[in-house]
Amino acid sequence: MSVWAVLAAAGSGERLGLDRPKSFAPLGGRPLLAEPLERLEASSWIDAIVVAAPPGWEEPSILLAEEVGAGKVVSCVTGGATRSESVRAAVAEVAPDASVILVHDAARPLLDDAVVERVLKPLAEGFHGAVPGLPLADTVKRARAGEVVETLERADLFAVQTPQAFLADWLRTALGGDVAGATDCAALVEEAGGRVAVVPGDRRLVKVTEPADLELVEALLGREGGGNPV
Ligand code: CTP
Ligand code: MG
């Protein structure tokens, strides 16, 4: 079974508000992208990596991969206008004989190998995809125009993270259709009729969105003792 990782790193990071894309925001003394690259490289589950880089940042992304010794990076493509389009561009570079594709957001730098293992397992048990999910602590209500429409059954709800794993053919097919509006790849596979498992997520897989998230991830990284400057 060959497992390819697609690293979605092409976003501009508008909400972070820096003078460079989020993937090049400083984290632990080096560009954020170094962290997930190094971790995918170190994972014994991953055979090869394709990076979707921000337009104009392909070369620095390749250099960074070399600097951190990410020899599994076989390709670095220019990302698209949306996350789904970036993933689609990267998946196009995945070898035809890959059986599984793991899609991960560079914006979730603190990837632990245990999560990779958890999302891969259901693929051997009849599922077409698997996502890490965290139970919600807050009560969730649906509201329209400032008025509650309904209170949702919290036990059924999960905040879904990446990495997300898919049987390669299912992801390719799902990405072949209209991807506009999809906020994750699993939604596309679900739409295509695929069965997607939810496995326990990881609180350290915080998505760096606002400046405060970067501080939180920096603190978590420091606690791990990682973040060696290159
Ligand atoms: N992403 C991507 N291509 C895009 C948009 C997003 O590869 N066109 C990636 C980002 O690099 C990130 C992940 O998808 O790793 C999640 O996206 P998000 O957190 O929204 O990142 P940005 O789009 O960069 O941030 P913002 O929405 O604030 O601009
Ligand atoms: Mg975005």
Side-chain angles (χ1 to χ4, degrees), residues 12-18 21-22 25 32 208-214:
S12 59
E14 217 163 288
R15 287 168 288 180
L16 204 52
L18 297 180
K22 195 193 293 190
L32 179 146
V208 174
T209 306
E210 312 277 345
D213 303 321
L214 193 55

Side-chain angles (χ1 to χ4, degrees), residues 6 18 56 60 83 87 109-110 116 136 157 186 188 201 222 227:
V6 159
L18 297 180
R83 180 185 184 275
V87 171
L110 304 185
V116 176
L136 299 181
L157 298 172
L188 298 170

Side-chain angles (χ1 to χ4, degrees), residues 152-177:
L152 300 170
E153 182 50 65
R154 189 172 61 191
D156 293 345
L157 298 172
F158 293 87
V160 168
Q161 308 172 312
T162 73
Q164 302 188 345
F166 305 97
L167 296 181
D169 291 342
W170 276 81
L171 183 60
R172 286 195 190 95
T173 304
L175 288 166

Side-chain angles (χ1 to χ4, degrees), residues 7-17 21-23 52-54 79-87 104-108 207-209:
L7 191 55
S12 59
E14 217 163 288
R15 287 168 288 180
L16 204 52
K22 195 193 293 190
S23 291
T82 63
R83 180 185 184 275
S84 298
E85 285 168 293
S86 295
V87 171
H104 186 56
D105 290 332
R108 301 180 192 271
K207 182 154 79 77
V208 174
T209 306

Side-chain angles (χ1 to χ4, degrees), residues 74-167:
V74 296
S75 180
C76 180
V77 302
T78 306
T82 63
R83 180 185 184 275
S84 298
E85 285 168 293
S86 295
V87 171
R88 177 150 66 189
V91 166
E93 296 297 311
V94 170
D97 64 353
S99 43
V100 170
I101 301 175
L102 181 104
V103 182
H104 186 56
D105 290 332
R108 301 180 192 271
L110 304 185
L111 177 63
D112 190 287
D113 216 22
V115 186
V116 176
E117 184 172 3
R118 286 204 289 276
V119 292
L120 290 176
K121 199 163 173 267
L123 302 185
E125 297 164 351
F127 286 95
H128 306 108
V131 299
L134 294 176
L136 299 181
D138 297 321
T139 296
V140 182
K141 297 182 192 290
R142 190 192 308 281
R144 233 168 265 134
E147 186 175 344
V148 173
V149 177
E150 67 173 316
T151 299
L152 300 170
E153 182 50 65
R154 189 172 61 191
D156 293 345
L157 298 172
F158 293 87
V160 168
Q161 308 172 312
T162 73
Q164 302 188 345
F166 305 97
L167 296 181

